[in-house]
Amino acid sequence: MSEPEVIRVADDQHGDYEVIIGHGVLDQVSARVPEAAERVLIVHAPVLAGAADRIAAAATAAGRRPVVQALPDAEAAKTADVAVRLWSVLAESGFTRSDAVIALGGGATTDLGGFVAATWLRGVPVVQVPSTVLGMVDAAVGGKTGINIPEGKNLVGSFHPPAAVICDLDLLRTLPGEDLVAGLAEVIKCGFIADEHILRLAADPVAATDVSGAVLPELIARAVRVKADVVGADLREAGLREILNYGHTFAHAVEQVSGFRWRHGDAVAVGMMYVAELSRRAGLIDDALVERHRAALDRVGLPTSYAVTGDVDARWRALRAAMGRDKKTRGSTLRFVALTAVGAPTRLVGPDERMLREAFDAIRR
Ligand code: GLY
C-alpha cells in the first residue's frame, strides 16, 4: 500500500467520516481535527509519548494549543477516575465546544478518549488514532465509546462517531507479536461474516503478520470496509451491527470467567470455534466450514480450543451463566450470531442446553 487507503463511513446523524490507512499518516492527524478547534487534548497510551509529541508539534505549527496527557496502560485507562481527571484538565485548560480531543493508543485509550470527547460539554469532536490491529479494525471505528465500572466492562458509554480515524501502520511496529496476531481474530471474523477474500489473504501467516508487506495493510483495509458498511447501515446496533459480534457471546464469557486475563482477540478466536461447533449441531453449517474456521485461525497462530484444568462441569456452569448475561440475550433465551455460509450471517436463537454443552465439549481440551 504505497498511497494511503481512504474509507468513508456513512453517518446520517453525525456526518460521514473517513478512515485513513497507510504508512506515515500520523502527520495527517492535526489536519484532520476540525478547523475551529483552537485547543486539542491529546491522550495517549504510555508507550506512545513520542508519537503524541509529534502530533502536538504539528498542532502547534498549525496555530493550535495542544495539551498532552499520558494515560494508564490498557484497561486501566478506562475508568471513571481517569475520565474525571481529564474533565478537570479540559476545564483548567479552558476547552470550549469548538475544541477537540485526539486519542492515540489501543482500544482502551480510544474508548476512553472517545468517551471524554462525547461527554465534555455534551460532545466535542474526537480524532481516533489507533495503534493496534484490534483498534484499527474494530474499537476506533464505529463510534462506540465507554468506560468500565467494577460491576462490568463497557457498562457506561455512548455512541460518539469520530471526526476521522487515522491508522498509521508504522505504529504497529511497536506492537508485541502476540497482540498483532490477536488483532487478526477480528479481521478473520470479518472474513467469515462478509468478505471471503480476507480468508484467502490470511491463509499466508507470514504475509498476514508482516507490517512492512502489502498483505497486512490490505487485510486491515478490508476489515475496516466490512465494519464501515455495517456501522454505516446500523450505528446504534438496532439489528445488523450485531453481526460484528460473531464469536463474541462465548468470547465475552471466556474473558469474564478468566478475570479478563485472556486477550480479547484470542477469546474471539475460541468463540468463533464454539459458535461454529454449535452451528454444525444446529444444522446450519457442515463439517467443512467448521474445519475452515479451525484452519484459518490455527494458521495465523490463534487458539482454537479452550483448556480446562479441574472441574469441567463447574467451568461450564460459569461460562453458561456468563453467556446468559450477553447483551444479545432476550429474557433467558440465548441468541448467537451464526453463519449459514461464509458471508451469510444469521441468528441462532435458543439452542437447547444439550447442544450448548456438546459444542463446549468439542472445543475443550
Ligand atoms: N465491536 C463491535 C461493534 O463495534 O459493534
Side-chain angles (χ1 to χ4, degrees), residues 249-272:
T249 306
F250 189 76
H252 285 149
V254 166
E255 289 179 284
Q256 268 180 45
V257 167
S258 76
F260 294 95
R261 279 189 291 275
W262 272 67
R263 278 189 194 81
H264 178 65
D266 291 348
V268 169
V270 172
M272 285 192 278

Side-chain angles (χ1 to χ4, degrees), residues 138 141 144 186 189 227 231 237 241 244-245 248:
D138 192 29
V141 180
K144 280 188 180 174
E186 294 282 4
K189 174 202 78 180
K227 182 145 192 189
V231 300
E237 205 160 301
R241 188 164 180 163
L244 297 173
N245 279 302
H248 283 55

Side-chain angles (χ1 to χ4, degrees), residues 1-2 6 11 17 24 43 59 66 77 111 120 142 167 189 200 220 237 249 298 317 334 349 355:
M1 190 186 281
S2 43
V6 180
D11 188 330
Y17 59 94
V43 296
D111 279 5
W120 179 248
C167 304
K189 174 202 78 180
R200 287 189 280 273
I220 290 173
E237 205 160 301
T249 306
D298 196 41
R317 281 194 300 276
L334 292 186
V349 180
M355 225 187 258

